[in-house]
């Protein structure tokens, strides 16, 4: 999961396409825009179906099925009674009110505003609790890997993506069931003549599924502003600068000219180099304000209110920091270098770290270590993985295809250009200094308590899954259940996120991978040798687990889960000033929502590692993926709260057992066919 080196031969053709600033017409369409789509970016947005509200009866059934593996039989019987009373009583009333509210807001989804409110009202610090980390695959060509070179190309590709989005020229986000047949010019020609009001349904006929793109507008120029009780998001889409941080010092750097065009590569390179030169002559920030963004949100809100009581600080914060298109964090050698043999220190640093060189409130922050290793840390309230991953993939592939600067590219000197490169010098008083020191100490304590373990397992990969007809995701999730059961002798609430972006303003739905099917399999595997089922019988149980998991995935993606519906019903009770229904006080509801195992994956070859913090103090945050040559998992936990090392060792054992079952079953089938 951490392979940052790539075989150069894979990219020989891409390397040949390299273009430098000297041959670039900077105001030309080819430089200014990443894409020039035949279909406008928001072509399908109007015709996207609305996120359905599931039937109350189905939600109750799904809830009962999901809690069964983590309850005793007596607890489950008691829960059944409470659920039935809810279904026939207050649940019906709340469901009717939710439907009524949804009918009055047809421009959006029933979950969108409550979900925003949930994120923005939580007072927990952003690092570890919300902001995830994605680590980008390295560039196979050494001349493009140095920090300032990589940063320049990242900036340019990001701006090309952003300008394409603003101009409505970015390809609409479409999930193609068979890309070879539908991700074609012919498909786009047919779509172009479809009426906008029905375009999504016309696309369905091609088995191509347009996705919601409402979140994309918040990718750039967006900041989360701390407020007492509930934060707010501010947007500045007309900004022409980015925020650059180095050793805690902050700079505003113009990247667009006065007409809104992307500056030339040599100019952007020169401005970045001038920041590095200037910073090398300064001390690291004595009061690194970025640390404040790690604070508990009400504490940060109070500190910020005091900070902006100074007019100069208010202007710098609002005009230069909040309004920046994105944040670029250039780490120094003192922050550490990536070590493939032991990636944990760098991953912890990028996920949360000392935070002296971070501004976690920005929608996206690009983190670049001194050796060019690149990661993305993003604020989560405004959007989910679909939009972020699209951006991540596009800029990586753009840099491979046509990097605009290399290590040898000449730059336009910008030293002393105070108009376009502006050091941000805040006026710091004793109260702000004390707040930074307190925030630094608190964050350091939390980060020091974070444990991180990882596993690369080469016997299980995309190839073996395909060879044996297995669903990669269901196998990984089954392995998590077996690992936890054999390590800790119980079953717990497990969270797997599923996107509902096939619907207008869809967000996510929760998958519950701990099922009766996975429980039955785990119990069968852990039986004494004399009671063990045959490999064929165990393989049949694996297939059953896969079918159940596949059905849950399908239901969740189609807006037919139960978590978001119950969340919305609970939220409706609060809005209506009604007492909280008994269902939400049950042990079953509390236990299923106490996510000991919280999991997430992003299936793409541009991400070499992904990580996030545990969602409960005694739980695990599990970022995982199945690559072409291995299955990988990064597990975070808090020391003395959960045993991450024990879980990861048990996970390796679970992989061993499942792979052995699959191999034995396969050999038995082959032998039977021969006979």
């Amino acid at each position: 999961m951490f392979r940052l080196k790539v075989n150069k031969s894979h990219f020989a053709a891409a390397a040949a396409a390299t273009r430098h600033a000297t041959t670039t017409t900077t105001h030309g369409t080819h430089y200014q825009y990443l894409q020039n789509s035949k279909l406008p970016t928001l072509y399908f947005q109007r015709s996207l179906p609305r996120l359905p509200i599931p039937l109350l009866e189905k939600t109750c059934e799904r809830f009962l099925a999901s809690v069964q593996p983590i309850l005793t039989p007596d607890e489950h019987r008691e829960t059944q009674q409470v659920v039935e009373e809810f279904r026939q009583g207050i649940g019906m009333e709340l469901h009717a009110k939710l439907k009524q509210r949804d009918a009055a807001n047809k421009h959006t989804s029933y979950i969108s505003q409550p979900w925003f409110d949930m994120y923005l009202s939580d007072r927990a610090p952003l690092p570890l609790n919300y902001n995830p980390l994605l680590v980008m695959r390295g560039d196979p060509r050494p001349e493009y890997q140095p920090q300032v070179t990589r940063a320049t190309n990242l900036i340019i590709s990001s701006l090309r993506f952003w300008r394409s989005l603003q101009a409505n020229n970015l390809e609409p986000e479409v999930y193609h069931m068979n890309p070879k047949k539908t991700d074609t010019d012919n498909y786009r020609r047919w779509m172009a003549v479809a009426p906008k009001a029905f375009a999504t349904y016309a696309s369905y006929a091609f088995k191509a599924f347009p996705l919601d793109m409402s979140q994309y507008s918040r990718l750039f120029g967006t900041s989360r502003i701390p407020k007492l009780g509930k934060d707010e998001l501010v947007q500045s889409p007309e900004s022409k600068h980015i925020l650059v941080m180095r050793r805690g010092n902050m700079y505003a750097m113009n990247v667009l000219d006065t007409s809104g065009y992307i500056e030339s590569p040599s100019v952007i390179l020169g401005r970045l180099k001038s920041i590095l030169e200037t910073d090398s002559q300064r001390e690291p920030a004595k009061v690194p304000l970025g640390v404040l963004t790690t604070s508990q949100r009400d504490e940060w809100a109070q500190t910020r209110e005091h900070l902006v009581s100074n007019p100069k600080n208010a202007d710098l914060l609002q005009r230069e920091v909040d309004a920046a298109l994105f944040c670029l964090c250039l780490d120094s050698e003192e922050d550490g270098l990536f070590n493939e043999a032991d990636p944990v220190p760098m991953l912890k640093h990028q996920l949360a770290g000392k935070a002296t060189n971070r501004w976690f409130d920005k929608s996206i922050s690009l983190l670049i270590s001194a050796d060019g290793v690149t990661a993305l840390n993003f604020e989560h309230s405004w959007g989910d993985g679909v939009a972020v991953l699209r951006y991540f993939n596009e800029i990586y592939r753009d840099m491979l295809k046509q990097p605009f600067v290399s290590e040898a590219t000449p730059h336009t000197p910008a030293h002393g250009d105070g108009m376009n490169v502006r050091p941000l010098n805040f006026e710091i008083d004793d109260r702000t200094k004390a707040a930074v020191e307190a925030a630094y100490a608190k964050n350091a304590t939390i980060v020091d308590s974070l444990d991180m373990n990882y596993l690369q397992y080469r016997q299980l990969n995309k190839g073996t899954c395909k060879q044996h007809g297995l669903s990669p995701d269901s196998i990984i999730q089954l392995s998590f259940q077996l690992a936890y059961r054999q390590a800790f002798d119980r079953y717990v609430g497990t969270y797997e996120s599923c996107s509902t972006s096939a619907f207008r303003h869809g967000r996510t739905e929760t998958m519950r991978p701990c099922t009766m099917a996975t429980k039955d399999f785990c119990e069968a595997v852990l039986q004494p040798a004399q009671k063990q089922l045959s490999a064929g019988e165990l393989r049949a149980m694996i297939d059953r687990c896969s079918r159940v998991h596949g059905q849950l995935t399908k239901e969740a993606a189609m807006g037919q889960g139960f978590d978001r519906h119950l969340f919305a019903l609970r939220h409706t009770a609060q809005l209506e000033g009604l007492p909280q229904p008994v269902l939400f006080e049950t042990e079953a509801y509390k236990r299923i929502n106490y996510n000991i195992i919280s999991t997430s994956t992003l299936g793409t070859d541009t991400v070499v590692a992904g990580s996030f913090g545990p969602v409960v103090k005694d739980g695990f945050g599990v970022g995982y993926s199945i690559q072409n040559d291995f299955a990988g998992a990064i597990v975070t936990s808090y020391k003395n709260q959960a045993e991450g090392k024990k879980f990861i060792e048990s996970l390796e054992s679970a992989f061993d057992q499942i792979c052995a079952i699959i191999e034995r079953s396969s050999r038995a089938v082959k032998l039977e066919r021969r006979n």
Side-chain angles (χ1 to χ4, degrees), residues 619-650:
F620 302 111
V622 185
Y624 69 96
S625 69
I626 291 194
Q627 303 280 352
N628 289 328
D629 47 2
F630 64 86
I634 302 170
V635 177
T636 58
S637 58
Y638 290 109
K639 297 170 185 174
N640 303 320
Q641 298 280 342
E643 298 177 85
K645 190 172 189 299
K646 185 176 181 179
F647 178 75
I648 209 80
E649 289 172 349
S650 185

Side-chain angles (χ1 to χ4, degrees), residues 460-526:
L460 185 65
N461 51 57
K462 285 182 179 178
T464 55
C465 287
K466 186 175 181 180
Q467 177 187 345
H468 294 288
L470 300 167
S471 162
D473 195 57
S474 68
I475 286 294
I476 288 279
Q477 290 291 343
L478 179 58
S479 301
F480 295 153
Q481 295 305 312
L482 179 56
Y484 196 90
R485 166 63 179 83
Q486 65 184 0
F488 306 109
D489 198 28
R490 64 189 180 119
Y491 300 95
V492 292
T494 307
Y495 181 103
E496 180 182 3
S497 182
C498 181
S499 173
T500 53
S501 59
F503 301 94
R504 191 184 316 155
H505 292 192
R507 292 287 309 235
T508 59
E509 179 57 88
T510 305
M511 293 259 304
R512 296 296 178 178
C514 182
T515 66
M516 289 306 295
T518 62
K519 184 174 184 178
D520 290 344
F521 171 79
C522 293
E523 293 305 313
V525 169
L526 297 175

Side-chain angles (χ1 to χ4, degrees), residues 289-310:
L289 291 179
V291 173
L292 293 171
T293 64
T294 71
S295 301
Q296 192 265 3
R297 300 306 289 179
D298 280 345
E299 292 176 2
W300 173 206
Q302 292 171 331
T303 302
R304 181 182 165 114
E305 188 175 350
H306 171 72
L307 187 63
V308 299
S309 64
N310 178 314

Side-chain angles (χ1 to χ4, degrees), residues 201-499:
Y201 296 92
S203 184
Y204 290 167
F206 289 81
K207 293 188 177 179
F209 299 87
L211 303 180
D212 177 72
M213 298 190 72
S214 61
Q215 296 176 10
Y216 282 64
S217 64
R218 288 190 169 100
L219 268 168
F220 293 82
T222 302
S223 282
R224 177 169 171 167
I225 307 301
K227 298 286 184 179
L228 287 174
K230 180 183 175 183
D231 294 351
E232 64 180 38
L233 294 176
V234 298
Q235 288 185 263
S236 308
E238 302 305 317
S239 292
K240 294 178 171 57
H241 71 279
I242 63 172
L243 173 66
V244 180
M245 301 185 70
R246 179 164 173 85
R247 300 191 303 165
N249 296 314
M250 302 166 74
Y251 305 84
M253 184 182 112
N254 286 357
V255 288
L256 303 176
D257 66 18
T258 55
S259 300
Y261 289 103
I262 304 170
E263 294 280 16
S264 72
S266 66
V267 166
I268 292 175
L269 178 62
R271 289 175 186 172
L272 272 183
K273 285 192 171 186
S274 76
I275 288 176
L276 292 175
E277 289 170 15
T278 299
D279 202 71
S280 67
Q281 297 167 17
R282 302 175 67 185
E283 293 292 321
K286 292 181 179 177
V287 185
L289 291 179
V291 173
L292 293 171
T293 64
T294 71
S295 301
Q296 192 265 3
R297 300 306 289 179
D298 280 345
E299 292 176 2
W300 173 206
Q302 292 171 331
T303 302
R304 181 182 165 114
E305 188 175 350
H306 171 72
L307 187 63
V308 299
S309 64
N310 178 314
K312 179 185 177 183
N313 291 342
D315 180 61
L316 288 176
L317 202 54
Q318 293 162 8
R319 178 169 50 87
E320 304 286 35
V321 178
D322 298 342
L325 289 171
F326 58 89
C327 182
L328 176 72
C329 302
L330 299 174
D331 287 345
S332 60
E333 288 194 10
E334 294 81 51
D335 295 313
L337 302 176
F338 185 84
N339 179 0
E340 195 163 353
D342 182 19
V344 167
M346 176 60 77
L347 291 170
K348 285 181 69 173
H349 170 70
Q350 292 173 326
L351 180 60
K354 294 182 295 184
T356 53
N357 203 47
R358 301 286 183 268
W359 197 266
F360 288 108
D361 289 359
K362 287 305 292 180
S363 54
I364 54 174
S365 293
L366 290 169
L367 321 178
I368 309 180
S369 66
D371 52 1
V373 173
T374 300
L376 176 72
N377 191 300
F378 70 96
E379 196 279 311
H380 214 325
S381 68
W382 63 271
D384 304 306
V386 172
V388 173
L389 193 60
R390 168 77 183 276
Y391 158 71
F392 195 86
N393 285 339
E394 295 281 12
I395 63 170
Y396 178 77
R397 289 165 185 159
D398 189 49
M399 289 192 303
L400 282 186
K401 182 181 178 182
Q402 49 179 22
F404 288 91
V405 301
S406 74
E407 195 174 13
T409 301
H411 67 277
T412 301
H415 193 68
D417 183 359
M419 290 287 291
N420 291 302
V421 181
R422 304 179 292 279
L424 306 185
N425 297 313
F426 292 85
E427 295 180 354
I428 308 296
D429 61 14
D430 288 343
R431 179 175 168 180
T432 300
K433 181 180 178 182
V436 170
E437 290 172 350
Y440 180 89
K442 283 184 182 179
N443 182 67
T445 300
I446 294 170
V447 174
D448 286 346
S449 72
L450 183 72
D451 193 21
M452 185 179 281
N453 292 273
Y454 71 94
L455 172 66
Q456 279 190 357
Y457 189 85
R458 297 195 172 275
Q459 292 94 305
L460 185 65
N461 51 57
K462 285 182 179 178
T464 55
C465 287
K466 186 175 181 180
Q467 177 187 345
H468 294 288
L470 300 167
S471 162
D473 195 57
S474 68
I475 286 294
I476 288 279
Q477 290 291 343
L478 179 58
S479 301
F480 295 153
Q481 295 305 312
L482 179 56
Y484 196 90
R485 166 63 179 83
Q486 65 184 0
F488 306 109
D489 198 28
R490 64 189 180 119
Y491 300 95
V492 292
T494 307
Y495 181 103
E496 180 182 3
S497 182
C498 181
S499 173

Side-chain angles (χ1 to χ4, degrees), residues 12 17 56 59 68 73 88 118 171 190 220 264 272 347 375 394 409 453 472 484 510 512 527 547 551 571 574 631:
L56 182 61
T59 287
Q68 188 175 0
Q88 294 185 19
M118 180 273 296
E171 283 278 350
W190 277 104
F220 293 82
S264 72
L272 272 183
L347 291 170
E394 295 281 12
T409 301
N453 292 273
Y484 196 90
T510 305
R512 296 296 178 178
Q527 287 294 314
R547 286 193 299 272
Q551 181 63 26
H571 184 260
Q574 293 169 349

Side-chain angles (χ1 to χ4, degrees), residues 134-153:
L134 304 178
V135 182
M136 184 177 285
R137 190 172 292 280
D139 198 301
R141 303 154 299 184
E143 65 270 29
Y144 299 109
Q145 188 64 20
Q147 185 186 52
V148 71
T149 303
R150 195 155 171 82
T152 302
N153 285 321

